[in-house]
Amino acid sequence: MALIDHANFDFEGQTIFAYEYPERNLSAATQLNVRAGQEALLVMGGKIVSKYPPNGPRPYTLDSANLPVVRKLFGIPFGGSNPMLATIWFINKADLLGMEVKTNTFLLKDSSKLQGFPIFATVNMGLRVAESEPFFILPLLAV
């Protein structure tokens, strides 16, 4: 664990909508890079506390409760685990095109025929996340 963390993720060529940055104990001085076509959400205590659009050439500096030098000390009364976790979720807001969806094959029967014939459907589509917060929160509500 570094004194100052640096968080970023590149969705380039990947067909995923959201990525949780693996470090969950981010400090107050964490440098956050948000690329074009994505948005980052800072989550603390199970709630979204900040939303970060693409930042351009300068990184954001996060404002979490974890001070860089003493964040390990916070966890001592809790068996080594810091109770003030700060996580980053990167949301892919770029258009994901060329996604193929297929149905299962099923038998279509006509009453005038003895045999049916198999049919299926294939659809090519594209998706885009317009709003990060509802996209992020709705799966949590279903649990």
Side-chain angles (χ1 to χ4, degrees):
M1 183 180 311
L3 186 61
I4 297 176
D5 299 309
H6 180 261
N8 68 58
F9 182 72
D10 189 0
F11 284 103
E12 190 70 33
Q14 299 185 46
T15 55
I16 58 175
F17 290 103
Y19 173 79
E20 182 183 18
Y21 189 72
E23 178 60 52
R24 303 180 126 229
N25 194 11
L26 297 171
S27 73
T30 296
Q31 300 295 294
L32 173 65
N33 279 322
V34 183
R35 300 173 192 265
Q38 61 182 226
E39 191 168 63
L41 304 174
L42 174 62
V43 179
M44 293 172 56
K47 297 189 185 314
I48 298 170
V49 294
S50 293
K51 188 164 69 168
Y52 299 93
N55 60 303
R58 302 182 104 175
Y60 293 106
T61 300
L62 298 185
D63 184 22
S64 74
N66 293 329
L67 301 173
V69 178
V70 296
R71 62 181 158 173
K72 281 193 170 189
L73 296 175
F74 288 146
I76 291 173
F78 298 94
S81 298
N82 186 350
M84 296 192 294
L85 298 178
T87 62
I88 294 288
W89 279 85
F90 291 94
I91 308 297
N92 190 354
K93 296 188 81 179
D95 294 335
L96 296 177
L97 304 174
M99 298 174 73
E100 190 172 278
V101 178
K102 294 181 180 180
T103 65
N104 291 332
T105 302
F106 59 95
L107 195 60
L108 181 65
K109 289 190 175 184
D110 183 350
S111 60
S112 65
K113 309 278 188 219
L114 291 176
Q115 284 185 293
F117 57 94
I119 64 168
F120 64 92
T122 302
V123 177
N124 282 312
M125 63 181 188
L127 297 172
R128 179 167 76 80
V129 176
E131 295 291 327
S132 296
E133 291 174 9
F135 172 79
F136 181 77
I137 292 171
L138 285 176
L140 296 178
L141 296 176
V143 176

